[in-house]
Amino acid sequence: MRRYLPVVALSLLTLVPGTAGASTRVYVRIGPPAPIVETRVVAPGPHHVWIAGYHRWDGRAYVWVPGRWELPPSAYHAWVPGHWAQSHHGYYWVDGHWRR
């Protein structure tokens, strides 16, 4: 007989093989809330790129991480935002990254 933990409190840890070795993916059974509409402050410089805020999972609940301005690494110019994706295991976070 299987035992199940409460849906809200449960997150599953699964090892997912990657190209550079194994990485950890956390699955959350409840979907993230709608993004918060943020007001951007003036960019600190002409080459800064806005990185929008997002909800992260802290093990019990979603927590808002505010957006920020960043300078891209050399040879990169665009930020691909992170996002929550869904699979049959639940929701999981896909990190944002810099694109050339």
Side-chain angles (χ1 to χ4, degrees), residues 47-51 70-82 96-100:
H47 301 291
H48 283 75
V49 175
W50 177 253
I51 298 178
E70 276 196 18
L71 278 172
S74 59
Y76 292 85
H77 69 280
W79 175 253
V80 178
H97 61 275
W98 290 100
R99 184 179 64 210
R100 293 180 191 261

Side-chain angles (χ1 to χ4, degrees), residues 33-51:
I36 294 174
V37 177
E38 296 179 297
T39 302
R40 294 184 198 182
V41 295
V42 176
H47 301 291
H48 283 75
V49 175
W50 177 253
I51 298 178

Side-chain angles (χ1 to χ4, degrees), residues 38 52-56 63-68:
E38 296 179 297
Y54 60 94
H55 283 101
R56 75 174 169 81
V63 177
W64 182 252
V65 176
R68 66 195 184 279

